[in-house]
Amino acid sequence: MVAEPAVAERPIESYNERFCELFEAYQPALRRLVSAYVVNPADREDLLQEIAAGIWKSLPGFRGDSSERTWVYRIAHNIAIRTSYQARTRSVREPGLETSFDHPSGERSAEDALLVGERQRALMDGIRELTVVDRQIVTLHLEGLSAAEIEEVTGVSAGAIATRLTRIRQKLSARVQGGRRE
Amino acid sequence: MNQPADLEQLWKTQPVDPAVKGEDMRKIILKRTEKFDRTIRRRNIREMIAAAVVALAFTAVAWGQHNAIERAGSIVLVAGALWIIYYLWRHGTEPPDPNPDQTLAGYQNALVRKYDHQIRLLREVKFWYLAPIYLGLLIGSAGLLKELADKGTLTWSAFLFPLFYTLIFAGIWWLNEVYAVGKLRRMREQVASGLEDGETQC
């Protein structure tokens, strides 16, 4: 059996290529994740760059013990959480959701788009008000990760995740439905 | 009531910022890292040059000094400045961020340890940076004041310089130990409270 070359022995070009592939594959999910932590466009870009740097630095240590997806999310969430602590300490009041970026559903009527925008704003506001653990769990869940995968990322047991998710989903649904603040 | 699928759809269709190519992001983060390293390196070099200037100047002062107390003060100052150069050379790097490839609780614990380490470093500033220089200045000033008193020319204005540098040193102490440590403590508390939330509700 041919052994895998040690991580340190791999050529740097392979890391460059791997990083680019990973970043491009997970960029949409990472951008959604970033929106759950910061609202200001400059802060969002800054956080995305920090996450990318975290992935870049951690890549040589990735040995495939966990799936690539859970590995990327673990790094991204941890860095986002650290940044959100720093932002809260700086007492930065996050402005409302920016509406200047591209909207994927261009064919919607203006009224529908407005309604969907309102509901998305309510959802994002609700997510940002959650505790870091709840925020992490629900964003991973909304990205389509299973309870076992969320457990792998967060370290919270699958049973506790299910309990928490029920409560969080109810809270967020009420928020989206009514557009009200709890 | 909304179904979970609705939340998922709302989440996945939310507007996001325009995409960046992987190679472009790689260049951006390399530039960021280099810029950060360069800033730290330049800060250390500035501090080391300033300390070298102080060491050279007070070596000259000590050399031509007749008053034993003032000479002792200058020697302490030179030793302090050399110590600062050594300390910056030896420990002048920022502690690395914790490895983000771990569970939330593990990462939060690592963050708490990092903040504790930074708080400890800031609290040590008074010992390795302020104390040696301040002590040298105090001894030198005591020698000067004694000399003036011996000559019978001691006036209140002779105390202005010691008062001036005492205020400067007190300001630096406050910035490090009250302002910066306070900020780090608040961040540490945020992380620790998040950790408690994770532990008590899991």
Side-chain angles (χ1 to χ4, degrees):
Chain A
M1 191 174 143
V2 181
E4 277 266 306
V7 173
E9 291 166 10
R10 286 184 193 159
I12 192 75
E13 291 77 20
S14 72
Y15 289 126
N16 293 345
E17 282 170 26
R18 194 76 201 99
F19 169 79
C20 293
E21 285 167 15
L22 272 176
F23 181 75
E24 284 174 11
Y26 289 96
Q27 183 170 189
L30 292 177
R31 286 195 181 274
R32 286 192 288 271
L33 180 152
V34 161
S35 301
Y37 286 91
V38 282
V39 183
N40 182 290
D43 289 345
R44 277 203 303 262
E45 202 52 42
D46 209 44
L47 177 52
L48 187 76
Q49 286 176 15
E50 281 210 38
I51 290 170
I55 293 170
W56 167 255
K57 283 179 198 162
S58 303
L59 198 51
F62 178 57
R63 284 170 171 76
D65 298 335
S66 57
S67 77
E68 185 183 273
R69 184 155 87 142
T70 54
W71 179 77
V72 168
Y73 285 136
R74 192 158 52 213
I75 290 171
H77 273 280
N78 282 336
I79 291 173
I81 283 164
R82 189 192 66 207
T83 307
S84 75
Y85 286 136
Q86 287 165 348
R88 268 192 281 174
T89 312
R90 285 200 308 265
S91 300
V92 173
R93 187 75 205 112
E94 294 169 343
L97 186 68
E98 298 291 320
T99 52
S100 58
F101 29 46
D102 302 332
H103 206 286
S105 48
E107 67 271 20
R108 281 187 194 135
S109 74
E111 200 179 332
D112 281 354
L114 199 68
L115 190 67
V116 169
E118 274 298 315
R119 294 173 74 200
Q120 279 170 333
R121 201 191 322 268
L123 174 66
M124 296 310 287
D125 285 348
I127 290 174
R128 283 191 211 105
E129 284 170 13
L130 296 171
T131 63
V132 286
V133 183
D134 286 352
R135 201 186 311 184
Q136 197 173 23
I137 289 171
V138 78
T139 49
L140 290 167
H141 167 71
L142 293 173
E143 280 298 335
L145 271 74
S146 67
E149 285 176 310
I150 298 174
E151 181 180 357
E152 211 177 300
V153 176
T154 60
V156 178
S157 70
I161 288 167
T163 313
R164 280 186 182 230
L165 270 177
T166 308
R167 180 172 47 81
I168 300 166
R169 277 201 305 248
Q170 280 172 352
K171 205 172 170 179
L172 292 176
S173 294
R175 184 74 183 259
V176 168
Q177 182 86 357
R180 61 184 167 83
R181 288 181 181 273
E182 287 181 12
Chain B
M1 178 67 72
N2 289 68
Q3 294 304 306
D6 291 337
L7 293 181
E8 197 168 298
Q9 197 186 3
L10 283 174
W11 168 259
K12 290 232 167 131
T13 57
Q14 64 172 294
V16 291
D17 298 315
V20 176
K21 279 186 180 170
E23 183 54 27
D24 292 342
M25 182 53 82
R26 196 181 70 82
K27 284 177 186 162
I28 289 169
I29 59 175
L30 284 180
K31 206 181 273 182
R32 262 174 78 115
T33 311
E34 279 166 16
K35 192 180 167 194
F36 178 75
D37 291 344
R38 204 168 44 238
T39 307
I40 299 292
R41 210 169 39 242
R42 281 184 182 164
R43 185 200 66 188
N44 286 347
I45 288 171
R46 265 199 314 274
E47 298 268 356
M48 285 159 97
I49 289 172
V53 168
V54 168
L56 280 174
F58 280 90
T59 301
V61 170
W63 196 265
Q65 196 55 255
H66 299 296
N67 181 322
I69 301 174
E70 282 185 69
R71 178 177 287 175
S74 298
I75 291 168
V76 170
L77 247 160
V78 171
L82 292 174
W83 165 248
I84 287 170
I85 294 172
Y86 168 76
Y87 193 95
L88 285 171
W89 171 67
R90 197 80 182 82
H91 308 284
T93 51
E94 291 284 308
D97 283 330
N99 176 15
D101 182 15
Q102 50 185 319
T103 61
L104 176 61
Y107 187 72
Q108 284 175 316
N109 271 317
L111 270 183
V112 166
R113 282 198 300 275
K114 190 198 168 184
Y115 290 139
D116 284 342
H117 179 64
Q118 284 181 313
I119 289 169
R120 203 169 52 246
L121 286 180
L122 281 170
R123 283 182 153 176
E124 282 172 3
V125 164
K126 62 176 175 281
F127 298 120
W128 71 267
Y129 189 85
L130 297 177
I133 303 289
Y134 187 65
L135 186 68
L137 284 169
L138 270 186
I139 296 170
S141 300
L144 182 68
L145 292 173
K146 187 182 176 302
E147 196 178 308
L148 290 173
D150 289 346
K151 287 180 189 167
T153 54
L154 182 63
T155 59
W156 65 269
S157 60
F159 292 92
L160 282 179
F161 181 60
L163 180 69
F164 172 73
Y165 67 69
T166 298
L167 286 174
I168 297 281
F169 276 75
I172 299 171
W173 172 84
W174 184 88
L175 275 176
N176 281 288
E177 204 147 329
V178 180
Y179 177 75
V181 167
K183 204 168 142 185
L184 282 171
R185 270 215 191 108
R186 284 193 293 279
M187 275 155 71
R188 186 196 184 282
E189 278 163 22
Q190 296 257 3
V191 180
S193 65
L195 199 57
E196 278 168 22
D197 168 65
E199 282 167 359
T200 53
Q201 293 183 44
C202 289

